[in-house]
Amino acid sequence: MTIRYLLFVTMRNVQSSIAVLLAASICLGVALFSAACYLERDSLASVYFPTWAKQTKALIAFSKKPNEKDLKEVIAKIHGTRWVKSYHLVEGKDVMELLKKKLAVLDKTLEDMDPAFFPDIMELSLTDHCLALPGRCESFLRDLEKIRHVASVYSPLPWIKTAYDKLQVLRRLLLFAALLLSFVSLLMAGVGVQLSLGKYRKEAYLWNLLGASPWFMRFPCYGQVCLTFVVGVATAVSFPYWFSEIVCFSFPTLLLRGFLIASGVFLFALVAVAEANFRRARKMVSGDDGSWEK
Amino acid sequence: MAFITCQHMYKKYPGTDWIFYNAGLSIEQGQFLFVLGNSGSGKTTFIKILCGQEGYDRGRIFVKNRNFRNIRRKHLHLWRRTLGVVFQDFRLLEDRTVKENIALPLVITGFGKKEVIDRVNAVLKLVDLQHRADVPCKLLSGGEQQRVAIGRAIVHGPELILADEPTGSLDDDHTRRILQLFTTLHRRGLTVVIATHDRRLPLAVKGCRTVMIRDKNFVDVVPVKRANK
């Protein structure tokens, strides 16, 4: 009976400030999520770069059909670098076939053309390092242009670099927000505990006068802290995860999916904080938070 | 053997005059004691000192020949379990039912479920609140709340009952019923200490002892009607 009573008091204390504690947990989740994005470049890339950007390809166009020696020279240059994941040679006639398929309207015009008109192309799949260090990757690609029979190298990196620079600013803002939200979550967890203890204080004082042992007095407090910790960590970890899962499931082809996830998580945290503060303010105004009790 | 003995007790709050100055009082086991005094004379402070809520500055208090100061803070709850305290403002959990309020000391001290139910039912019968057992305390009248507070004070079988102004806000009829209840408990062998400002109360209880707080000390007095006889 004693344990049941203590559990009841503990649950009541947690429940009395559940909105604040959940908001705090979500803030913490966002902070963890953002910090993880900041600390780990791969995560950052996966969140802030659309999936297609990770499959970035550069194209090497040859001025004439390359012989084996030319190809070897290019491959030797590519091999052993950290910029290129794989390569694939596409011959001019294959390029034409590809264009035929894609541009069915122009089919007739292409029929008349000499397949030799299209130069052979080598397709390079770039690694994630290129996204992280686009400047250095770009200079490597420019070096390829100096090889004989290489007409030009088409690289998407310059505009990716521009986007990356802008995202760096966002990334710093994100880190700042993460720090701020960690602080907010700590404050809110403190407020939550204070809110529930306000109600509990009167009862605990009475227990003390009626002869409750020290452990009996402390149990609801410890219980509340443990329960809050478990619920808080579970929410903090699972909320961003499930939110991103839902977005990925709902918008499988959306290009800016990562951005949507990050923005959604932040927005949800802000709404949760506002809602929790509103509840607390309402409780304080109605004098229901126990603050009037001595 | 004296149940409680206060010797040369001194007490003052910071920034105030002495409340007790070299005060002495002895309470016998099974005694019915009224502590009379005007407002601010120190009745509540005395009750608080006896239940360990307040300390005293100098002097000695013995409980069954054991020095009260030697009771360590972490063992104070064991002393409080031998007390039944009726507070001036009742201190009930207002959103809980009569039954739950009365059961509180038993739950706190770890009684089993069957024992709790049996004792609570017995006490409800004693304080005549069986019909209100499941009513939240905030819906009770002042007299009923007073009886709940008394029920809570006696349910765990204390040796000493301390009541601070137990009839302070009650009409004459309710006062008489509450005093009858205390008399019943006294007849069962409990030591009862009632602090009150109402000088008529001791007249209603036969065989009680009355002390008055005068000049920061306890003075034995005889109730007026008996003195007239």
Side-chain angles (χ1 to χ4, degrees):
Chain A
M1 199 145 184
T2 306
I3 296 294
R4 241 176 70 188
Y5 178 69
L6 283 173
L7 288 176
F8 163 76
V9 172
T10 309
M11 290 307 292
R12 192 197 55 195
N13 287 351
V14 172
Q15 184 239 330
S16 70
S17 58
I18 195 75
V20 177
L21 291 172
L22 278 181
S25 306
I26 291 168
C27 283
L28 188 66
V30 174
L32 290 174
F33 175 73
S34 314
C37 289
Y38 184 82
L39 294 173
E40 204 180 319
R41 279 179 191 283
D42 283 348
S43 300
L44 181 73
S46 62
V47 170
Y48 287 105
F49 279 93
T51 321
W52 51 266
K54 288 191 79 181
Q55 295 161 356
T56 313
K57 288 187 166 76
L59 300 176
I60 301 173
F62 293 96
S63 54
K64 64 174 218 174
K65 195 168 178 65
N67 57 29
E68 210 166 301
K69 195 183 158 197
D70 298 332
L71 279 177
K72 266 187 182 170
E73 196 180 342
V74 174
I75 289 165
K77 187 90 176 166
I78 291 167
H79 256 300
T81 62
R82 56 176 172 158
W83 312 113
V84 180
K85 205 161 26 183
S86 62
Y87 57 88
H88 170 61
L89 185 71
V90 187
E91 290 187 11
K93 60 176 188 210
D94 295 331
V95 174
M96 198 176 84
E97 286 299 315
L98 203 70
L99 277 174
K100 267 186 190 173
K101 277 182 196 165
K102 292 220 168 181
L103 307 167
V105 188
L106 303 172
D107 204 354
K108 205 173 176 189
T109 324
L110 289 176
E111 280 294 344
D112 304 336
M113 289 187 81
D114 180 8
F117 174 79
F118 289 96
D120 285 3
I121 286 172
M122 184 175 272
E123 198 179 72
L124 306 179
S125 295
L126 302 178
T127 60
D128 288 348
H129 294 295
C130 290
L131 295 176
L133 301 163
R136 289 172 66 182
C137 185
E138 182 64 18
S139 63
F140 162 75
L141 291 175
R142 292 293 136 235
D143 281 351
L144 292 178
E145 278 183 336
K146 291 169 190 165
I147 298 172
R148 197 158 58 100
H149 298 313
V150 171
S152 58
V153 175
Y154 300 97
S155 152
L157 284 175
W159 70 263
I160 284 186
K161 188 177 180 311
T162 313
Y164 189 84
D165 287 344
K166 289 198 171 133
L167 286 171
Q168 283 288 3
V169 177
L170 191 66
R171 188 172 158 229
R172 285 191 191 110
L173 280 175
L174 191 72
L175 180 70
F176 176 72
L179 289 172
L180 198 70
L181 283 174
S182 309
F183 183 65
V184 167
S185 67
L186 275 176
L187 274 182
M188 292 191 77
V191 165
V193 171
Q194 190 192 13
L195 200 67
S196 53
L197 288 187
K199 273 195 159 183
Y200 159 72
R201 195 170 51 197
K202 187 183 171 191
E203 199 164 338
Y205 185 63
L206 182 63
W207 293 348
N208 190 23
L209 295 178
L210 295 180
S213 59
W215 78 264
F216 188 95
M217 307 275 293
R218 288 177 203 141
F219 184 93
C221 252
Y222 292 158
Q224 187 185 356
V225 169
C226 292
L227 209 64
T228 306
F229 178 77
V230 170
V231 172
V233 167
T235 314
V237 172
S238 62
F239 172 71
Y241 174 76
W242 285 113
F243 186 75
S244 52
E245 285 291 303
I246 289 167
V247 170
C248 290
F249 180 76
S250 311
F251 307 101
T253 54
L254 192 69
L255 296 181
L256 292 171
R257 207 166 52 182
F259 187 73
L260 182 72
I261 290 169
S263 313
V265 170
F266 263 95
L267 194 68
F268 205 90
L270 288 177
V271 170
V273 169
E275 164 71 5
N277 279 314
F278 171 70
R279 276 169 186 268
R280 170 154 168 72
R282 206 170 52 179
K283 273 194 175 183
M284 280 184 78
V285 169
S286 67
D288 197 27
D289 65 337
S291 56
W292 54 274
E293 290 159 2
K294 289 261 174 179
Chain B
M1 184 183 74
F3 186 47
I4 293 173
T5 311
C6 303
Q7 294 174 345
H8 312 293
M9 184 174 70
Y10 290 78
K11 170 72 184 174
K12 74 182 282 188
Y13 289 108
T16 60
D17 196 10
W18 291 103
I19 292 171
F20 294 115
Y21 192 87
N22 198 16
L25 178 70
S26 178
I27 304 170
E28 301 296 322
Q29 182 105 37
Q31 198 167 54
F32 197 124
L33 176 73
F34 279 99
V35 179
L36 294 179
N38 298 327
S39 292
S41 59
K43 302 181 298 286
T44 303
T45 304
F46 178 60
I47 297 284
K48 281 182 173 177
I49 289 173
L50 287 186
C51 59
Q53 252 182 288
E54 290 281 350
Y56 48 99
D57 298 320
R58 270 186 276 166
R60 286 182 296 183
I61 295 179
F62 291 98
V63 180
K64 289 183 179 175
N65 284 342
R66 192 179 166 192
N67 195 336
F68 198 69
R69 273 209 203 278
N70 292 345
I71 300 176
R72 296 173 71 179
R73 197 174 172 78
K74 66 177 178 182
H75 295 139
L76 196 60
H77 67 279
L78 298 174
W79 160 243
R80 284 179 177 154
R81 285 177 188 185
T82 65
L83 303 177
V85 188
V86 181
F87 301 99
Q88 195 169 6
D89 53 354
F90 313 149
R91 290 191 192 269
L92 299 175
L93 301 175
E94 295 199 331
D95 52 339
R96 315 298 291 275
T97 62
V98 170
K99 218 157 61 177
E100 286 168 337
N101 267 283
I102 291 178
L104 195 61
L106 303 175
V107 172
I108 285 172
T109 42
F111 278 73
K113 191 174 177 180
K114 193 180 174 301
E115 178 108 38
V116 170
I117 292 169
D118 290 348
R119 281 185 181 234
V120 169
N121 287 337
V123 167
L124 280 172
K125 200 173 166 189
L126 188 68
V127 295
D128 195 20
L129 280 172
Q130 292 134 300
H131 59 295
R132 307 285 270 168
D134 294 312
V135 177
C137 281
K138 61 184 169 195
L139 300 179
L140 299 178
S141 68
E144 284 171 328
Q145 287 193 1
Q146 186 70 269
R147 279 184 280 160
V148 176
I150 294 171
R152 190 184 62 189
I154 59 174
V155 72
H156 55 297
E159 295 176 53
L160 170 67
I161 290 185
L162 300 169
D164 188 9
E165 298 279 10
T167 56
S169 55
L170 300 180
D171 57 36
D172 286 351
D173 186 39
H174 277 110
T175 302
R176 192 175 45 77
R177 286 169 69 178
I178 294 289
L179 281 179
Q180 248 170 14
L181 191 59
F182 279 122
T183 312
T184 310
L185 295 169
H186 175 238
R187 281 199 200 113
R188 290 183 179 189
L190 267 72
T191 309
V192 180
V193 176
I194 295 179
T196 180
H197 68 279
D198 188 348
R199 292 168 192 226
R200 292 173 305 163
L201 283 192
L203 299 172
V205 181
K206 283 179 185 169
C208 66
R209 180 186 166 201
T210 309
V211 295
M212 189 150 194
I213 301 176
R214 193 182 288 159
D215 298 330
K216 297 150 196 171
N217 202 345
F218 296 100
V219 181
D220 267 285
V221 292
V222 179
V224 179
K225 257 190 181 174
R226 283 185 202 171
N228 287 343
K229 277 180 186 176

